[in-house]
Amino acid sequence: MSIAHGIKRLGVLGAGQMGTGIAFVSALHAKVPVLLHDKSAHQISKGLSLIDKLLAKDVSKGRLQASDAADARARIQTADSVEAMRDVDMVVEAVSENLDLKRAIFREFAAKIRPDAILATNTSSISITKIAAAVIPEGESAAGEVAKAASGRVVGLHFFNPVPVMKLVELISAVQTSQDTLDRSRAFAEACGKEVATSQDVPGFVSNALLMPFINEAIMCLEKGVATRDDIDKTFRLGMAHPMGPLQLGDIGLDTCLSIQQTLYKGTSDSKYRPSVLLERMVDAQYLGKKSGRGFYEYNN
């Protein structure tokens, strides 16, 4: 029997590509009003512009009626602070892969958002259990009822990039996550039009524990001169029917690739996860891929 998610209003913190995509599918498919917050007014403007372009494209392609697009856009509003999202039923954090930053954000969620709201993170590699521990009120025992109630509403809800296109959401339970939180989060992801796969709370979960070492090994092959960029990617496109090669795939965000690879390495102490030196140097140079206009490939706009 399906379980109603009960999300009548959603908050999204972070108006980058991921946060904007989550707001888009939530408003369009789940038909839930969304409050989108980012500390950068410029990022909010960019995010809303992207949503407008996505809706217009769907209308022009005949995938969406103009009236439905207008309704979806009307559901997305902005919030100028976390306090302004206090009454949401769920908030999804979609910021960069940095544990200290996420802990700080979740402490703020715990203090400023209603105590029964689900607190979800879109992290693609960081421990949900560590994030959940950050919401326990100071002075409370982790085993106490107050702590259990607080941390039990934290969950990993990993959407994939680009969110409007990719069909999967990875659902990750912290040690502390309640079954009700998991059930409602799954139902909400499904309402957004996604398939759901579950993973244990291990570094990288299922997706990036497998994908990032693959990309990292491809970068090491390039670094060692085993093959050229084009031949590495061609091997996987034409020999293994991948839609794109690992170097082109990494260009979705090389800084994110590095952050995840570092999380895997630190979380397991296994040398097989050591980040490629070339990957580190690319990020040092701010050659981040599509987002910066240059990675292993060059991009116009």
Side-chain angles (χ1 to χ4, degrees):
M1 183 176 68
S2 62
I3 297 172
H5 56 70
I7 309 303
K8 298 178 181 177
R9 176 169 290 188
L10 178 75
V12 178
L13 191 150
Q17 193 167 12
M18 296 304 298
T20 298
I22 293 166
F24 176 85
V25 298
S26 300
L28 180 61
H29 298 298
K31 295 181 170 55
V32 170
V34 178
L35 288 175
L36 181 63
H37 171 63
D38 195 292
K39 65 181 180 180
S40 167
H42 175 66
Q43 192 62 57
I44 285 282
S45 178
K46 282 180 61 179
L48 294 177
S49 177
L50 176 60
I51 288 170
D52 290 339
K53 289 177 183 178
L54 291 171
L55 290 170
K57 182 178 180 180
D58 280 352
V59 171
S60 69
K61 296 285 187 180
R63 295 190 292 255
L64 190 64
Q65 294 295 317
S67 59
D68 292 332
D71 289 345
R73 181 62 182 85
R75 293 186 189 104
I76 302 173
Q77 304 293 324
T78 61
D80 59 8
S81 65
V82 172
E83 290 95 331
M85 299 192 290
R86 172 171 177 77
D87 293 328
V88 299
D89 301 290
M90 171 190 275
V91 61
V92 181
E93 164 271 310
V95 303
S96 58
E97 291 291 278
N98 180 294
L99 176 58
D100 290 339
L101 174 61
K102 290 179 187 293
R103 279 172 166 161
I105 288 170
F106 273 74
R107 280 193 287 267
E108 187 174 10
F109 284 167
K112 297 177 179 177
I113 291 178
R114 52 188 267 199
D116 60 339
I118 294 173
L119 310 180
T121 173
N122 186 57
T123 182
S124 55
S125 64
I126 294 172
S127 168
I128 313 302
T129 299
K130 289 181 179 179
I131 295 171
V135 307
I136 298 173
E138 187 174 355
E140 292 287 342
S141 166
E145 293 304 314
V146 171
K148 287 180 181 178
S151 58
R153 60 194 181 119
V154 176
V155 68
L157 207 57
H158 175 209
F159 289 80
F160 287 74
N161 188 22
V163 178
V165 176
M166 304 303 283
K167 298 295 186 184
L168 187 70
V169 166
E170 207 169 21
L171 179 67
I172 307 101
S173 174
V175 169
Q176 308 96 316
T177 307
S178 72
Q179 189 62 49
D180 179 67
T181 296
L182 284 172
D183 292 341
R184 292 178 63 203
S185 298
R186 174 185 287 274
F188 178 72
E190 291 172 346
C192 290
K194 305 302 183 183
E195 296 281 343
V196 178
T198 60
S199 172
Q200 295 294 314
D201 186 19
V202 297
F205 317 132
V206 171
S207 56
N208 282 322
L210 297 174
L211 176 62
M212 287 304 153
F214 165 60
I215 293 174
N216 193 54
E217 285 292 334
I219 298 171
M220 286 184 172
C221 281
L222 181 63
E223 180 183 328
K224 295 172 183 176
V226 173
T228 65
R229 174 200 71 182
D230 292 346
D231 281 346
I232 290 168
D233 278 357
K234 184 190 297 183
T235 297
F236 285 90
R237 287 199 318 273
L238 303 184
M240 301 177 187
H242 288 203
M244 66 179 73
L247 299 177
Q248 184 182 1
L249 181 58
D251 268 358
I252 290 175
L254 292 174
D255 52 340
T256 301
C257 290
L258 178 58
S259 293
I260 295 170
Q261 199 65 30
Q262 288 170 333
T263 297
L264 292 171
Y265 188 37
K266 183 177 179 181
T268 64
S269 300
D270 192 329
S271 62
K272 73 180 181 182
Y273 294 123
R274 178 184 63 80
S276 161
V277 173
L278 177 57
L279 175 58
E280 292 178 336
R281 293 298 171 265
M282 295 287 283
V283 174
D284 289 343
Q286 293 298 296
Y287 296 163
L288 308 180
K290 288 184 178 181
K291 68 176 76 175
S292 67
R294 179 173 178 178
F296 292 109
Y297 295 83
E298 294 188 8
Y299 304 89
N300 295 319
N301 194 23

